[in-house]
Amino acid sequence: MKRKTPAKEHAKRLKAFSANFKYQRTCAEMSQTELAQKLGTTKQTVFHYEHGMRYPGIDILMSLCEIFGCTPDELLL
């Protein structure tokens, strides 16, 4: 049985996060700009989260959970 490389596993998790992130943002009916303002960050940062280019730090992750009314697991898994 072939094991996944760490890079492939990381890419898979980042893809899952970005899909969950976009789903939560659209369900909350927020634009990227509105969410960025609530987080105190830029639209570009929100774009990077949504397109699987980066993960948020723990402080932003917890703020996202508060804004979306979800758990970290719902965003990360």
Side-chain angles (χ1 to χ4, degrees), residues 12-25:
K12 180 181 170 187
R13 289 180 181 169
L14 192 54
K15 185 176 179 180
F17 166 74
S18 66
N20 294 338
F21 178 85
K22 184 173 184 177
Y23 173 78
Q24 292 289 345
R25 183 183 63 78

Side-chain angles (χ1 to χ4, degrees), residues 34-53:
E34 290 169 327
L35 182 55
Q37 288 172 344
K38 285 188 175 226
L39 294 171
T41 188
T42 65
K43 180 183 173 188
Q44 290 79 13
T45 299
V46 172
F47 176 90
H48 287 154
Y49 298 154
E50 198 165 290
H51 288 85
M53 297 175 181

Side-chain angles (χ1 to χ4, degrees), residues 54-73:
R54 67 167 24 164
Y55 282 115
I58 191 71
D59 55 334
I60 296 290
L61 178 64
M62 297 314 291
S63 293
L64 287 169
C65 291
E66 195 173 299
I67 291 167
F68 297 147
C70 68
T71 66
D73 285 350

